Amino acid sequence: MRTWPGAGETMADMLTMIINALVQFWVFSPIFKVIFRQVPEEGEKGEETSDVEAGPAKAN
């Protein structure tokens, strides 16, 4: 039976790459959520307001 030379090393490298990616995801995701937090603007707090409902702006 013939095997590929270096196949075990390649599989170990791929497994290491996947483990590193998962660790980086779980470490950096919460950090990025804190850093890049989106603050809702004044009309986006759950209230659906449109320009038609609010009426035209009055000029004084």
Side-chain angles (χ1 to χ4, degrees):
M1 179 158 83
R2 187 172 175 183
T3 60
W4 291 328
E9 185 178 346
T10 302
M11 292 299 289
D13 288 343
M14 291 176 65
L15 182 63
T16 303
M17 182 180 61
I18 292 170
I19 291 171
N20 284 336
L22 290 173
V23 168
Q24 289 177 16
F25 173 78
W26 288 111
V27 168
F28 288 114
S29 290
I31 294 171
F32 286 155
K33 284 184 181 180
V34 170
I35 293 173
F36 299 110
R37 182 173 29 197
Q38 292 183 357
V39 179
E41 292 184 11
E42 215 173 280
E44 298 178 3
K45 295 181 181 177
E47 300 175 1
E48 293 289 330
T49 59
S50 66
D51 294 337
V52 176
E53 293 175 1
K58 295 181 181 179
N60 290 330

